Amino acid sequence: MASQPEQQSGPAARFELIRQQFVAGLVRRAQEIDEAPDAESLRAALHRLAGVAGSYGYDHLGSLARTAMQASESNLSTQVAEALAQLKAEFKRIAS
Amino acid sequence: MEEFKRVMCVEDDPDIRMILEFSLQQLGGYELLLCPGGHEALAKVDAFAPQLVLLDVMMPQLSGPQTLEQLRKKDIMRGVPVVFLTAKAMRDEVEALLEYGATGIIVKPFDPVSLPKDIRIYWEHGRGKPA
C-alpha cells in the first residue's frame, strides 16, 4: 500500500488540485457569459466552456453550455434564455 | 525503432492547457511543450522538434488552420502528424479541418486518461507521411 505522501503527490492528488483550479475559474467564465457584449462573444464563451468542462468531470455543465451555444447559433432567444438560466443554476450548484 | 516522446500542444485556454499537462505529461509520460498561441508555437517549434502537434482550432490572432499552414513551411515539421483539437464535431466541419492537412481530430472535451493512448495511435499512423 502506498504511503500517505506518495498518495498526496500521485495523479489523483494532482487531478484534484487542477479540478479545484478549474472550479475557482468558473466565476470568471460565468461573468464572461453574463457580460458578453454580443451574441458572438457569448457563443465563444459557451464554446470554450463546452470544450473543457467534461475533461474535468463536469459533463452536465458542458452539455448545458453546448445547448445554449446551439440555441444561440439558431437565434432561438427563448431557448437561449432558458439554457443560460440552467447554466447559472449549475454554476451555483458546483460552487456550493 | 523511434521512440515517441515529444508533443507540442497549442491551446489558448489555460484550463485545457492544465488538463493537457496532467494527461500527457503526468499520465502519459510525454515530454510536452505547451504554447498559448500559434505565434509561440512557430517561435519554438524548431528547438523542440515535436513528433506530434496537438492544435486547437479556434484561437485568437492565429487560428489553428493558419498556424498549421505556417508550421508546414518548416523543415522540422516534415512528416510530423498534426491533430486538431476542436469542440465542434459536425461531419462537414471535421472534413473541412482534415482538408487543411491534419492527420486527425480529437473532440473536446477529451478524456484525459485515454488521450495519451489516442495520440500514440495518430503518431503511429501519421508519422512520416506527407501532409
Side-chain angles (χ1 to χ4, degrees):
Chain A
M1 193 176 158
S3 68
Q4 192 69 7
E6 275 169 352
Q7 283 177 357
Q8 283 173 358
S9 62
R14 173 68 187 152
F15 181 77
E16 179 53 22
L17 196 71
I18 63 171
R19 188 194 64 77
Q20 284 173 13
Q21 285 182 49
F22 171 72
V23 169
L26 287 179
V27 176
R28 177 187 48 81
R29 288 188 188 267
Q31 206 172 356
E32 214 175 51
I33 290 166
D34 258 359
E35 296 171 5
D38 49 48
E40 201 182 321
S41 309
L42 174 66
R43 283 195 288 272
L46 291 167
H47 174 86
R48 285 193 293 272
L49 180 60
V52 67
S55 291
Y56 284 92
Y58 294 99
D59 294 343
H60 187 53
L61 182 69
S63 158
L64 289 173
R66 196 175 300 274
T67 302
M69 184 182 75
Q70 286 165 348
S72 174
E73 281 168 350
S74 305
N75 292 314
L76 303 169
S77 50
T78 310
Q79 283 90 332
V80 173
E82 279 171 16
L84 289 179
Q86 287 181 36
L87 195 58
K88 204 174 236 182
E90 185 65 5
F91 276 132
K92 209 173 266 181
R93 192 192 66 76
I94 292 168
S96 64
Chain B
M1 191 186 161
E2 187 189 1
E3 193 189 350
F4 177 34
K5 283 195 316 190
R6 293 180 309 282
V7 180
M8 182 168 84
C9 299
V10 191
E11 168 62 62
D12 65 314
D13 189 307
D15 286 328
I16 297 182
R17 288 203 301 275
M18 207 158 59
I19 197 88
L20 283 169
E21 185 178 21
F22 170 74
S23 166
L24 298 179
Q25 195 164 287
Q26 180 138 21
L27 298 183
Y30 293 104
E31 189 183 330
L32 199 63
L33 175 66
L34 288 168
C35 299
H39 290 298
E40 291 81 357
L42 289 164
K44 292 177 177 174
V45 66
D46 288 304
F48 185 68
Q51 293 165 290
L52 181 134
V53 176
L54 274 179
L55 187 55
D56 183 26
V57 174
M58 282 178 65
M59 293 188 291
Q61 297 174 354
L62 271 190
S63 70
Q66 287 169 330
T67 304
L68 176 56
E69 194 185 348
Q70 297 300 312
L71 283 172
R72 285 291 180 218
K73 291 178 182 167
K74 291 186 170 274
D75 288 344
I76 199 84
M77 282 296 295
R78 198 168 294 155
V80 175
V82 174
V83 178
F84 276 127
L85 277 170
T86 180
K88 292 195 171 186
M90 302 294 282
R91 193 192 169 106
D92 53 342
E93 288 162 337
V94 168
E95 282 173 3
L97 287 174
L98 291 174
E99 278 175 18
Y100 287 110
T103 304
I105 310 280
I106 286 175
V107 176
K108 293 191 285 191
F110 52 81
D111 175 2
V113 175
S114 62
L115 186 67
K117 211 186 296 172
D118 295 342
I119 65 161
R120 174 165 287 279
I121 293 168
Y122 279 122
W123 177 72
E124 283 169 356
H125 289 90
R127 72 191 160 123
K129 289 184 184 166

